Amino acid sequence: MSAGLRVAVDTDACCAMGRCAATAPEVFDQDPDSGTVVLLLAEPPTALHETVRLCAELCPCAAITVTEN
């Protein structure tokens, strides 16, 4: 884990497109009932930082927040 990058999701804002789960399945999943985002790793390893940033950019609902120290 890396303390340099932290991910948060807003399930209320999520529109269940699934781009995040398709792009970074190690970090994001979808709730089987609602389709909304499920965060699997709040502090992903360094190797996934670029992909997580991409997921935040691709999210059409702005439901993913990436904070970097």
Side-chain angles (χ1 to χ4, degrees):
M1 290 193 318
S2 172
L5 187 138
R6 184 149 183 89
V7 183
V9 296
D10 181 348
T11 55
D12 291 331
C14 180
C15 53
M17 293 292 293
R19 291 179 182 172
C20 56
T23 304
E26 309 89 346
V27 180
F28 304 101
D29 199 358
Q30 287 184 275
D31 181 279
D33 296 322
S34 66
T36 57
V37 64
V38 174
L39 182 61
L40 303 176
L41 288 174
E43 294 182 10
T46 303
L48 294 175
H49 287 189
E50 187 174 330
T51 304
V52 169
R53 287 185 203 101
L54 177 62
C55 289
E57 290 176 25
L58 291 175
C59 182
C61 324
I64 300 169
T65 303
V66 176
T67 305
E68 299 187 57
N69 295 332

